[in-house]
Amino acid sequence: MSKMPETHSLQIQTDAFLPWHGSWPLHIPTSLNYPDVPIWWILEKNLESFADRPAIRFMDHESLVEKQVLTYKSLASMVSSVAAGLQRLGIQKGDRIAFYLPNSPELVISYFAIWRAGAVAVPCNPMFRQRELTNQLKDAEVRYLIASAPGSDNASAVAKQLGIGLVVASDKGELTFNELLSDDPRNLREVHIDPADDLALILYTGGTTGVPKGAMLTHRNIVANTMQFAEWYAFEPGGETCISVLPLFHSGGMSGAMNVPLYGGATILLMSRFSPISVAKTIEAYRATRFFGVPTMFISLLNDETSRRCDYSSLKACRTNASPLPASVKAAFDELVGREVLIEGYGLTETSPLTHANPINKAKAGSIGIPLADTDAKIVDLKTGIDLSPKEIGEIMIRGPQVMKGYWNRREATAAAIQKGWLHTGDVAYMDEEGYFFIVDRLKDIINTAGYKVWPREVEEVLYSHSAVKLAAVVGVADSYRGEIVKAFVVLRESMNGHPTEHDIVSFCKEKLAAYKVPRLVEFRKELPVSGAGKILRRELRAED
């Protein structure tokens, strides 16, 4: 187990089975004082110093024209109005309110207005079909749904089926978002919140390995993780400009692209969808200092000729998580910027989400970094649960103020996931002698071929090192002789014109991998299935095959 002591020089203390092997003078807080406050404090604390600073610049992702600009003062006022409107509709403390919105000012306002009214937010993927939306709203026992105009047909049908209220973010509808915005913020009733116990979010897991479950996150969970995140990445109060293109319905977007910038008094350059050219040009035009994304976004920036010609020199740090960051991608993007800026972190929906991150200027390629302030992590044996020593592979366990309260209406799943305060992550990892953690793979993604275990991530790293490979995913497929064999799904760069061949890819892997790890099947595709958060979905590839 590794733990950060209460000191301003980063060191990792360990139990007897792991002596400490190093330290370095990094001024990263290892323990923080978390105020006993509800989430909306994140926004309102900036009103005294940054009231007139732009909080959100909502960008048209094609023209890059500013569609809407909200200062911290105007954003806070709108939040109070919508919260008062929700209370006028009869919303009580603890009621669940869902939203079915793309990245937009309405989505940011909805988050904070729901919390300000004392309710619990239930984010929904705006790409959901009716069946998926129905299942999630029904499971969370939602009272109201806030939807966008493009999604209003689906939302209307589902709301009618479930008998819940519907608010539409358009000029047409039985009840519109603009009507709530017109409510008098002075009518907002204060709601007492117990940050340690009261729910702020029911955030559903991605469902990449099974049926989605609702992670119950408290106000303290979110406030603590926001502070951990912002302090780790050294946000300068009032001095940052952040690209926010990650989907805000997802935990990573909500935290890294919304809460952390707002906590830091930053200006958010908000986009409804990702385009490499739009993101690159926006970074250049606004001298953006932060861009938090997922590996597929950075791969796209590197693969687009126009994006590669843009100026990224203003960036202080870029973070990626949600899926493994190939070492070759990190090296290429750092080279493009001219210094190290792209660092990998790690977290889960169940942990608000961030638990680990690489220190800026002390990152290790392929590592998720070290635990954040006040966060414990350890590696345990997959079968016995016994704590393991450095370099030994097992399951990573997490304990800290950002760990969820449990799963909504799933006592057995909660009991299985959290034991004696430690969260089972389901991720296989190891820790090196300096306390850096390395994710090997998901437990459910391990390939067992003729008794040998193959970690998909290791094979994918090799594939990404091939100059012709744009995207890659590796899964195990059934085989009558070996039980499973390794199959690679590969997207080639546009200029390859059918080369390399399957034989070329296999030969390349044979030079770098033991024979049992080499893909026996290679399927070329034009694209790979990804989640709303940009994570490549191995589960869907297995199901298709």
Side-chain angles (χ1 to χ4, degrees):
M1 175 178 66
S2 68
K3 182 177 176 63
M4 297 183 182
E6 296 185 1
T7 169
H8 290 286
S9 281
L10 178 60
Q11 295 182 337
I12 298 176
Q13 291 183 336
T14 59
D15 289 340
F17 64 84
L18 175 59
W20 167 241
H21 288 289
S23 64
W24 50 88
L26 290 178
H27 298 290
I28 298 174
T30 55
S31 187
L32 301 172
N33 293 318
Y34 305 106
D36 201 36
V37 292
I39 294 179
W40 60 81
W41 167 81
I42 290 172
L43 174 61
E44 295 184 348
K45 78 179 189 68
N46 288 309
L47 292 179
E48 182 175 348
S49 300
F50 307 119
D52 297 324
R53 177 179 170 83
I56 296 174
R57 295 185 186 274
F58 185 39
M59 313 295 296
D60 184 289
H61 73 275
E62 294 180 349
S63 68
L64 302 186
V65 171
E66 294 180 1
K67 298 166 67 174
Q68 189 174 3
V69 179
L70 298 178
T71 64
Y72 275 89
K73 181 178 181 180
S74 60
L75 176 58
S77 177
M78 290 178 174
V79 165
S80 294
S81 292
V82 174
L86 292 173
Q87 290 180 341
R88 175 173 55 80
L89 294 175
I91 292 299
Q92 302 293 320
K93 178 181 175 180
D95 285 345
R96 274 76 60 202
I97 302 177
F99 47 76
Y100 183 53
L101 298 164
N103 282 9
S104 58
E106 288 85 357
L107 177 49
V108 178
I109 294 167
S110 293
Y111 261 119
F112 282 90
I114 291 168
W115 294 328
R116 196 70 180 82
V120 179
V122 182
C124 299
N125 187 335
M127 294 184 290
F128 273 173
R129 302 299 186 189
Q130 287 189 24
R131 179 187 62 82
E132 298 163 309
L133 183 61
T134 300
N135 289 343
Q136 187 162 311
L137 300 187
K138 187 175 181 181
D139 185 77
E141 303 170 40
V142 164
R143 280 199 62 188
Y144 266 89
L145 172 63
I146 303 173
S148 64
S152 59
D153 289 343
N154 280 340
S156 179
V158 172
K160 184 176 181 180
Q161 176 187 343
L162 298 180
I164 63 177
L166 176 65
V167 178
V168 180
S170 71
D171 294 330
K172 298 179 180 180
E174 185 175 333
L175 177 61
T176 69
F177 196 81
N178 284 340
E179 289 180 52
L180 297 184
L181 279 172
S182 66
D183 270 71
D184 190 336
R186 293 174 296 181
N187 293 331
L188 177 64
R189 300 188 305 275
E190 291 297 327
V191 178
H192 173 72
I193 296 293
D194 179 353
D197 191 57
D198 287 340
L199 295 189
L201 278 168
I202 298 177
L203 201 56
Y204 280 78
T205 59
T208 56
T209 57
V211 177
K213 299 183 292 292
M216 298 187 294
L217 300 174
T218 66
H219 285 256
R220 178 168 295 171
N221 288 151
I222 304 300
V223 170
N225 200 232
T226 299
M227 293 180 63
Q228 290 171 315
F229 196 141
E231 295 295 334
W232 186 273
Y233 285 97
F235 266 65
E236 177 189 351
E240 307 286 353
T241 301
C242 306
I243 299 287
S244 293
V245 70
L246 282 171
L248 300 186
F249 73 84
H250 185 267
S251 60
M254 175 207 67
S255 176
M258 184 182 76
N259 285 343
V260 172
L262 292 177
Y263 169 84
T267 294
I268 294 174
L269 303 174
L270 183 63
M271 297 181 178
S272 60
R273 55 181 294 189
F274 173 77
S275 156
I277 295 175
S278 298
V279 166
K281 288 185 175 181
T282 303
I283 291 173
E284 182 177 67
Y286 285 85
R287 305 295 294 164
T289 59
R290 311 281 175 154
F291 172 39
F292 294 160
V294 294
T296 50
M297 291 179 179
F298 293 98
I299 291 170
S300 295
L301 289 171
L302 289 167
N303 286 331
D304 185 90
E305 290 186 10
T306 301
S307 299
R308 289 183 62 87
R309 290 195 296 267
C310 288
D311 180 6
Y312 297 92
S313 62
S314 60
L315 290 173
K316 295 180 183 178
C318 298
R319 178 192 64 92
T320 179
N321 63 347
S323 58
L325 174 66
S328 58
V329 174
K330 171 180 167 51
F333 193 79
D334 287 343
E335 182 180 1
L336 180 64
V337 177
R339 64 183 183 282
E340 183 178 70
V341 294
L342 182 54
I343 52 180
E344 186 171 0
Y346 169 82
L348 304 161
T349 301
E350 291 88 342
T351 56
S352 307
L354 201 64
T355 66
H356 290 65
N358 274 278
I360 298 174
N361 299 322
K362 283 289 185 179
K364 286 190 178 184
S367 171
I368 60 171
I370 56 183
L372 300 185
D374 304 301
T375 302
D376 297 331
K378 63 180 179 178
I379 306 295
V380 301
D381 185 84
L382 297 174
K383 293 182 178 179
T384 65
I386 295 175
D387 295 340
L388 298 178
S389 297
K391 297 291 188 179
E392 293 186 316
I393 293 175
E395 183 183 5
I396 184 170
M397 306 277 284
I398 305 292
R399 182 174 63 184
Q402 68 272 58
V403 173
M404 68 174 182
K405 188 174 183 177
Y407 291 117
W408 175 258
N409 286 340
R410 286 178 169 83
R411 290 187 179 181
E412 291 184 3
T414 299
I418 304 176
Q419 297 177 4
K420 297 182 179 179
W422 288 93
L423 175 71
H424 284 269
T425 65
D427 282 326
V428 181
Y430 68 89
M431 182 176 66
D432 70 9
E433 291 85 351
E434 292 184 303
Y436 281 78
F437 285 73
F438 294 77
I439 297 295
V440 177
D441 247 307
R442 291 288 301 172
L443 277 171
K444 294 184 179 181
D445 285 335
I446 296 172
I447 302 168
N448 192 331
T449 178
Y452 292 98
K453 287 184 172 59
V454 178
W455 313 104
R457 177 172 181 171
E458 181 183 7
V459 184
E460 290 166 0
E461 286 276 1
V462 170
L463 291 169
Y464 274 114
S465 69
H466 194 295
S467 60
V469 173
K470 179 179 179 180
L471 293 174
V474 170
V475 302
V477 297
D479 180 75
S480 59
Y481 178 61
R482 294 177 176 82
E484 283 186 307
I485 56 173
V486 179
K487 180 173 181 178
F489 293 85
V490 173
V491 177
L492 297 176
R493 298 183 189 277
E494 287 76 2
S495 59
M496 291 300 105
N497 297 321
H499 295 283
T501 65
E502 179 178 356
H503 174 76
D504 295 332
I505 293 292
V506 171
S507 297
F508 179 80
C509 290
K510 283 182 177 178
E511 296 176 0
K512 302 176 182 294
L513 293 167
Y516 68 91
K517 300 178 183 178
V518 174
R520 291 182 174 270
L521 297 172
V522 178
E523 181 177 328
F524 295 102
R525 293 198 171 190
K526 293 183 178 180
E527 59 184 19
L528 298 179
V530 296
S531 70
K535 182 186 299 185
I536 294 176
L537 298 174
R538 293 179 184 149
R539 172 179 56 83
E540 288 196 9
L541 292 171
R542 284 195 297 265
E544 290 175 19
D545 202 76

